[in-house]
Amino acid sequence: MSVQSLNYPSIAYREAGKFEEYRFEKIHNVIFESSEEASVIVAQEIADLIRSKQAKNKVCVLGLATGSSPIRVYEELVRMHKEQGLSFHNVITFNLDEYYPMKKDDQQSYHFFMHYHLFNHIDINPQNVHIPDGTIPQEELYQYCIDYEMRIKEVGGLDFQLLGIGRTGHIGFNEPGSHYNSSTRSITLDHITRIDASPSFLGINNVPRKAITMGIGSIKKAKRIVLLAWGSNKAHVIKNTIEGNITSEVPATYLQQHDNTTFVLDAGAAAELTRIKTPWLVTSCVWTENLKRKAIVWLCEKVNKPVLKLTDKDYNNHGMSGLLAEQGPAYDLNISMFNTLQHTITGWPGGKPNADDFNRPERALPVRKRVIIFSPHPDDDVISMGGTFDRLVEQGHEVHVAYQTSGNIAVSDEEALKYAEFSFEMTGQKDARLKSIIEALTHKYTSKDLDFEIRRIKGLIRRKESLGATRYIGLPDNQVHFLDLPFYETGTIKKNKLSDKDLTIMKTFVSEVKPHQIFAAGDLADPHGTHKICLDAVLETIKSLKGESFMKDCWLWLYRGAWHEWDTYEIEMAVPMSPDQVLKKRRAIFYHQSQKDGVMFQGDDEREFWVRVEDRTQDTAKKYNDLGLAEYAAMEAFKRYHF
Ligand code: F6R
């Protein structure tokens, strides 16, 4: 496979003779710790190409994508334009796709997206910008698509194509079933694609059913292709695309036939690749404690045995003979791993007073800790760690819950109407403001002022629900804090970046509490979304306060949001729950009534949040039990963030 671009660090790594690791892989790929770092390097490759074409007095033809994946690349190109004089005067662009039908000025249109993120900020000639037009009448669509394809040809073909990948394996909007030689055309969107797009359209019913997309054939003609994938949501499709067979069911696998493609991945998206997930199957490993834990837990699942029953043969047959030779026999490895796992279990998440804490996840002292539970939305606290929260309060710690955002956009208009009508009746039907809010909510119209008021009502609903839950757990109201971080308050799914205002609120709060323990939502692999921004806010805050004496003794524990759990090998503290505690947690979640019954932003998992988390905590308990440890009803899991 020839790879023209030498920008990517792992190419040098491969040249150093580490080919064996790539045994199952059919597409060149590079993995970065973060999407931030990766995006800067991709932008650099594009900028180098533009400049090299300029030096030769040639046009540079770029194929561009939308979606969350390329946003940071575009930001970096804009920065290079503004700060380093990178000019786009010789650039011609063709966007991959557009929803159909779709007006250009609609905020969900890819036309809007491209201008918002890139074209409005650079010196590209507007005539050189091509984005499929979602307003073309149906009867002209066929010819329009042929012309789009011809236009690419006329300017010499694509020099560079930037791609994202959908969970269906689509590139552009080439959904499963697309032909390897397809060209620009209209297409019906897959249901999964529509679900993924539904948050930005505020509900699946608003997502168009069709789109115009460049074809697989059009994309494959590009001289160079770079596909971006961020976050664990993409891990499965990335593994299937890179390691699977070419199939129209995963259209991105057609890229295996292109000889100058690089997939640029972050750690989350790469997590399922064989060389990352089970490196012992492809290469000899340096057996760190973490890798050993990962491998032995994997081996138990693979051979369906508890740790203490693993044999030398099991290790040898599954790529772990090196570990056996270094640290075996199996008997010794098994006992030591059993103890390691056992030591992660504790019913004392704030530390056990007057106990030897050498083998416990938390310190015994101070006996009464000040604890902050950061909850990105007003319900993640009880959903993700309701049992642990309850124990911390019961065991006498000074627990503070801080809701980082108002969570207002996840409340439906119907719910807001109910409360607006209630308040209107209770105040003698006199309040003109409430009357106009009721009118607006009933007849679905809005204005900037009313929008603000409606969001306020929605935020208040969530506040009162949260107080219901925290009171039920026994927390005094003065230990419940609503931070309402400003980055969230856009009224749409798209959030602002973290600003100094957000960080000042966070810092002031943490400095007042002076915590010994912080719990935060650790959706590390999620490249976008509120949870990731909220975690960034916590990490930034801790970093900027690290000089303070109280921070020297502060530990950070990460829980996972409603969507995923830590892998068993990653868990550093597992808090068991009795059947009664499971019930208590369920009741605490029930206080968040606006989030029940087919709430917005639920994704394609139709189970209500309390069902998901009960399944999840039972599953964690079962996995521990399958490894040969004690059987509990449920377990909440945490991973410590080591600074
Ligand atoms: C967008 C496009 C799509 C996206 C894909 C991933 O122009 O063609 O194929 O690249 O749906 O979207 P994100 O990046 O939002 O996960």
Side-chain angles (χ1 to χ4, degrees), residues 64-71 74 95-99 110 113-114 161-175 193 196 212-213 219 227-230 233-234 527-528:
L64 298 180
T66 55
S68 56
S69 311
I71 292 178
Y74 296 147
N95 262 84
L96 281 166
D97 42 17
E98 178 60 283
Y99 292 108
Y110 285 170
F113 176 101
M114 287 309 298
Q161 175 66 58
L162 190 61
L163 293 177
I165 183 168
R167 280 194 302 141
T168 58
H170 71 212
I171 45 177
F173 274 141
N174 293 284
E175 297 288 16
T193 300
D196 285 351
I212 304 173
T213 183
I219 293 170
L227 182 145
L228 314 173
W230 319 137
N233 261 351
K234 301 285 171 74
H528 35 81

Side-chain angles (χ1 to χ4, degrees), residues 587-610:
R587 291 201 188 104
I589 297 173
F590 281 174
Y591 281 89
H592 296 275
Q593 293 205 357
S594 69
Q595 302 305 296
K596 280 174 63 61
D597 303 329
V599 66
M600 279 181 268
F601 315 126
Q602 193 162 356
D604 56 355
D605 184 342
E606 299 209 331
R607 292 171 304 168
E608 281 191 18
F609 287 123
W610 68 273

Side-chain angles (χ1 to χ4, degrees), residues 72-87:
R72 186 65 192 92
V73 174
Y74 296 147
E75 281 173 0
E76 181 62 10
L77 287 172
V78 170
R79 189 196 66 78
M80 286 193 247
H81 169 69
K82 292 194 170 144
E83 293 175 15
Q84 296 168 0
L86 172 68
S87 172

Side-chain angles (χ1 to χ4, degrees), residues 469 472 580 582-592:
Y472 174 69
D580 284 345
V582 172
L583 264 181
K584 188 165 183 194
K585 171 172 172 168
R586 185 189 301 175
R587 291 201 188 104
I589 297 173
F590 281 174
Y591 281 89
H592 296 275

